[in-house]
Amino acid sequence: MGFRARHLLGIEHLAPDEIVAILDLAEDYVRLNRSGTKHSDALAGLTQVNMFFEASTRTQASFELAGKRLGADVMSMAMQASSVKKGETLIDTALTLNAMHPDILVVRHPQSGAVDLLAEKVNCAVLNAGDGRHEHPTQALLDALTIRRARGRLHRLSIAICGDIAHSRVARSNIMLLGKMEHRVRLIGPPTLMPSGIAEFGVEVFDDMREGLAGVDVVMMLRLQKERMDGGFIPSEREFYHRYGLDAEKLSHAKDDAIVMHPGPMNRGVEIDGTIADDINRSVIQEQVEMGVAVRMAAMDLLMRMRRAGPREVAI
Amino acid sequence: MKTVLANARLIDPEAGREIFGAVIVQDGRISDVVDGNWSGDGQVLDCGGKCLAPGIVDVGVKVSEPGERHKESFASAGRAAAAGGVTTIVTRPDTTPAIDTPEVLEFVSRRAAEDSVVRVVPMAALTKGRAGREMTEIGFLRDAGAAAFTDCDRVIADTKVASRALRYSGALGALVIGHVQDPGLSAGAVATSGKFASLRGLPGVSAMAERMALDRDIALIEMTEGRYHADQITTARALPALERAKRNGLDITAGASIHHLTLNELDVGAYRTFFKVKPPLRSEEDRLAVIEAVASGLIDIICSMHTPQDEESKRLPFEEAASGAVALETLLPAAMRLVHGGYLDLPVLWRALSLNPARRLGLEGGRLAKGAPADLVLFDPDAPFVLDRFTLRSKSKNTPFDGQRMEGRVLSTWVAGRRVFPEEARDA
C-alpha cells in the first residue's frame, strides 16, 4: 500500500486506506517501543527539524522521541524565542531552514493554515503538529490507534467528543477521521462552544451530556482552551464542570465498557474529574501518549519511504 | 474638432437599451447620438460593431497616496482604471494619514490632477482619523471637493456620534457612505461563519452582522434625514431591510463589490489570501441573491473596492494577511461574467457601473446622451483571455482572478474625448 501524499497536513487529505496503513505500521512501532532496543534505522541519515511556534510539551517530546528512535538527526526549535521575535516572516523562516536541507519539518503554529502555507514553500516533507483551530492530524491518528486497540475495531463505533469543540483542532481532525472510518460521531457541548455550520458535518449534536453519552463506546474529552477564548463563551468553569465535566455519574450513561480519552493537558476539575482520568479500567489517556510516539514514527517513516522511492533517487 | 465613433453597439443605461449607431464627440462632450450607419462627415473611428458604453464610475477606490505610494499611486491607479474602462475613480480616505482635513484633501486633488489620466473624485473621512469620535470639517471638505464622507471599513460604534454626523452632513446635502458590519460581531473575523470557516478553523462572522448594521443605519437615517449609501451589501438577509427602507422613501442607496458578485467563500480554498476581502466572501446563496438585487435595481451600484496590497502583506497566514483585492482592471471582464451567465443584460449592468454611481455622487458622467461628457469605453464583450496578474498596471498585483479565464476586453477608453487607453494611442 502506498502513502500518496508528500506532506501530512491534515486528515482531510487522507483516504481510509492510508489511515489504516499508518495505524498498521504504528502497531509494529508499538512493539518496537516496548522491546529492549527501542531503535530502528528507518530514518538514519535524515534530518528532522521541529518548529514549534506555539508552546507544546507532549507533542514536541513525542515527535522528538519518534525521530530519535528511528535514527534521524533531530533538532527542536522553540520558535517563539527566536527570529520570529526579530520580525522575520513565517515564509522567510521556512526558506532559511529549507536551505539547510532538512528532510522532515514538523510544524506547530497558532494560526490556522500556517502549516499549509509553509508546506508550499519548502521541498521537504512537512508534518502538521497542530495549526490554530484547523487540524492536528497525528493526534487524530493516535486516538484512532488507541480506539482500535481498546475496542478491537475501527469502524461503526459510537463515539462522543465533548467540550470545547469550537476552538479545538483535535476535534476537527477527529471528526474527519472518524467520519471517514464510518463511525457514529456525537458532539456534546454548550452551543457557544460549537463551531458554526456544525449541522452540515454529518454528526449528531447534543447540549445535554447525559443524553449525548447514552450508549456510546468511546468518550473523548477535550481541553477547555482558555488561551483561545476572547471571553464570554461560558459563564464560569464551575458551571461548565457541573454541566459538561466528565464524572462517574455522567459516564454511567455510556456503555459499561466505554473508554475515556483526553488529548491532554488536562484541566482536572474543569472538563474531567480526576478519579475518572486515573481509573485504569476506563481511562486510556496514558495509552494515548504511548500511541502518539508510535503513530508519529509510522507517519514519518511512510512519508520518507515514498520519498526514498521517488524518481530522483531512481535516476541516480 | 468632431470625432465620430461609428458602427458600434451603443449601451444606453439611461434608456435601458442597446442600439446600433454612432456617438459624435465634440470639445470633450457627446454632441449627438445617432442610430444606424454613419454617413456624415468628421473624423470617423470605426468601432467594428463592438460595444460602446459610458465610462465606469467606480466608487470606493483605494489609491494609496498619501502614505503607501509603493502599493498604488495616482499614476498607476489612473493607468489601471483606463485599461479597465473606468473613467472616474471615487477615492477612499482610508489612507495614512486619513483624508480628514481640507489640507490633505487638497494635496490629494493636486496629486490626482498631476498624475491620473482618468477623473479622480475624492471622498473624505466622516470622523477625524476615522476614529469614530469627532466629525471632520464636513463643510470645508465639501467646499474643497469631497464628493462623499466615509470612514470606510471602520464602523462608528457610538450611535450618538453617528447620528450627529449624519444629521450635520444631511443638512449640507452631503452623502455619507457606511460600512454595514456590526463591529462587535465581526471583530476578529476573517470568514463567513458556516461549515467552510469551521473546517478551515478560521474565525467567522455571521452573515447577520450585515443586516444588524444596516438596520441600525436605517434607523439613524430615519431619525436624522441623512443621505446614505451602504458601501457593500453582500448577504440575502440584508436585502428585505434595504427594500423596506427604500419603499419608505428614505434617502438610501446600496452597492455591491464585484468580488462578492463573482466569487464565494469556497474560492478561498486552501487559505488563499488573495481571496481575503472585507466583508469576507459569502455563500453561493448570498451571491446569487445579491446578483438578483442588482438586476432588480434594489442594489444600485457595482464597485470594484479596489484595495492594493503588496506581496508581503498577503504572504502571511490567512488571519494575519491584509484584506482587499485590486480590481480596477478586472472590474469590467469580471462583471461580464454576470452578462454571459445570463443574470443581467448590458444596459442593466451599466446602470450599476456608471449611471447610478454618477447620479448618486452628483457627477455629470455615466450617461450616453447629448451633452454628457465624452467619457467612454469601447469593449469587446466576448474576447477571451487568461488573466496574468503581473500584466496588471496597478503597482500591487493582488487579484483573485489570477490565472482565470475571462471574457470581455477593453479596446479603448476616452476621458473628455481624449483617448487614455491604449496608452500608445494617447496622442492620436
Side-chain angles (χ1 to χ4, degrees), chain B residues 381-404:
Chain B
D382 305 312
F385 66 101
V386 175
L387 185 79
D388 171 2
R389 69 190 182 104
F390 294 105
T391 63
L392 293 177
R393 285 156 182 82
S394 283
K395 283 192 181 178
S396 297
K397 315 291 183 191
N398 54 309
T399 173
F401 296 113
D402 185 40
Q404 293 199 21

Side-chain angles (χ1 to χ4, degrees), chain A residues 242-284:
Chain A
H242 176 72
R243 300 196 61 210
Y244 299 102
L246 187 67
D247 54 23
E249 193 278 319
K250 295 194 192 89
L251 184 58
S252 70
H253 293 264
K255 276 192 186 151
D256 291 340
D257 58 349
I259 55 169
V260 174
M261 306 174 73
H262 193 299
M266 282 182 279
N267 299 308
R268 285 171 188 256
V270 178
E271 70 260 352
I272 190 163
D273 184 83
T275 55
I276 299 279
D278 299 333
D279 180 352
I280 51 166
N281 294 317
R282 306 303 291 271
S283 162
V284 292

